[in-house]
Amino acid sequence: QLSDLQKMTESPLSQFRGVYLPLVLHPLNKTLVKGGKWKDVDSTQEKRRSFLHDFCKKYNSRKKLPTHLVHLVSRIYVEDRHKVLYCEVPKAGCSNWKRVLMVLNGLAASANNISHDDVHYGKHLRKLDSYDLKGIDTRLNTYTKTIFVRDPMERLVSAFRDKFEHPNSYYHPVFGKAIIKKYRHNATDEALKTGSGVKFREFIQYLLDSHRPVGMDIHWEQVSKLCYPCLINYDFIGKFETLEEDANYFLQLVGAPAELKFPKFKDRHSSDERTSAEVVRQYLKELSKEERQMTYDFYYLDYLMFNYTSP
């Protein structure tokens, strides 16, 4: 796969050009880690870090001075007490991560009693782009930077299920109406009026359309465009597939209180089956072979950067 990368991803990788941040793989500070139970997690972590670093070193072009640094860090949350930077990837445990950051920051006593609305709309946490350039630069160079990712197809299907298969006062009227209007032939007046009932195939048609009737959204945007992993040297790469053990190891690394553990609960629609590989398979059956391939191509960089196996 990697041998074909330059030919197949010339366009997606061009987004990185004109920006220069030194690609240096700094060793993790493990002085605060207690006990020997983290050995396997640490070994996995080092492999992920090395893989991403080698990938970026090989395929990233670094020739010019930084441009649009503020834009690059717009998805990164700051926790100053423990010097943590967390880049938010929706549908990869981000709600519970924000709860943890609020506890670390002294804004809540426990992660378990913070509501979904308080997490996402309370504006308790600062983002890195709210600081001046010196503040951004200092934090990028001295704080522990983490990103948590997920298998791209699982993340995509999870986002679709969350936003379109449940009542939603934003996604149905804003995205749903536009999607149904453009991609559903003989749509009923009711569907056009409410935007409810978007089918997965219609959603994919919208995703792959170069002339989308409504813009992209962070819930299905590529991680390569949300967090810029080849421009920002993330110290820790967690995965949704090993979320709890990765998160709890990271909390040890940054010296979090011993009693703080990553929450286990599902943030919303808790009665729904989690979006697993088998659930994804059922949704992908609704697509043609060409649509499946094009959807994979859309997330090609994410698959490569984080060493996920093609579905």
Side-chain angles (χ1 to χ4, degrees), residues 68-198:
H68 310 302
L69 182 62
V70 172
H71 173 70
L72 295 183
V73 301
S74 63
R75 304 304 321 164
I76 296 179
Y77 285 87
V78 179
E79 198 285 288
D80 282 315
R81 282 188 175 187
H82 298 80
K83 298 189 173 182
V84 170
L85 297 181
Y86 162 71
C87 188
E88 175 189 27
V89 176
K91 312 312 297 177
C94 71
S95 298
N96 280 337
W97 257 118
K98 288 192 212 172
R99 289 183 172 94
V100 166
L101 292 178
M102 287 173 68
V103 174
L104 287 174
N105 219 2
L107 299 170
S110 166
N112 296 322
N113 51 19
I114 307 172
S115 73
H116 177 87
D117 285 354
D118 217 20
V119 165
H120 290 286
Y121 310 116
K123 297 186 178 177
H124 302 293
L125 299 166
R126 283 188 74 173
K127 287 184 179 175
L128 193 50
D129 63 353
S130 69
Y131 294 83
D132 61 21
L133 285 175
K134 185 182 178 186
I136 293 173
D137 187 60
T138 299
R139 285 168 177 81
L140 278 175
N141 285 299
T142 59
Y143 284 22
T144 306
K145 302 175 290 295
T146 186
I147 179 175
F148 273 71
V149 298
R150 185 176 186 177
D151 175 274
M153 289 294 190
E154 280 191 24
R155 184 173 160 250
L156 176 68
V157 171
S158 177
F160 172 78
R161 295 174 74 201
D162 180 26
K163 304 306 178 191
F164 295 103
E165 291 186 351
H166 295 273
N168 192 296
S169 60
Y170 173 71
Y171 285 91
H172 291 201
V174 174
F175 286 87
K177 284 164 78 169
I179 289 171
I180 290 171
K181 183 178 180 181
K182 182 162 186 181
Y183 307 108
R184 185 179 298 179
H185 303 298
N186 304 318
T188 64
D189 290 341
E190 179 68 15
L192 291 168
K193 180 182 174 184
T194 65
S196 298
V198 170

Side-chain angles (χ1 to χ4, degrees), residues 6 19 22-23 38 42 45 78 83 91 96 111 191 232 247 288:
Q6 283 175 309
V19 185
L23 282 171
W38 302 108
D42 178 67
Q45 185 56 221
V78 179
K83 298 189 173 182
K91 312 312 297 177
N96 280 337
I232 297 168
S288 69

Side-chain angles (χ1 to χ4, degrees), residues 271-287:
S271 61
D272 286 4
E273 180 186 357
R274 272 202 186 275
T275 303
S276 62
E278 182 52 43
V279 170
V280 169
R281 199 171 287 118
Q282 297 306 315
Y283 280 82
L284 292 183
K285 282 180 181 177
E286 298 176 29
L287 309 180

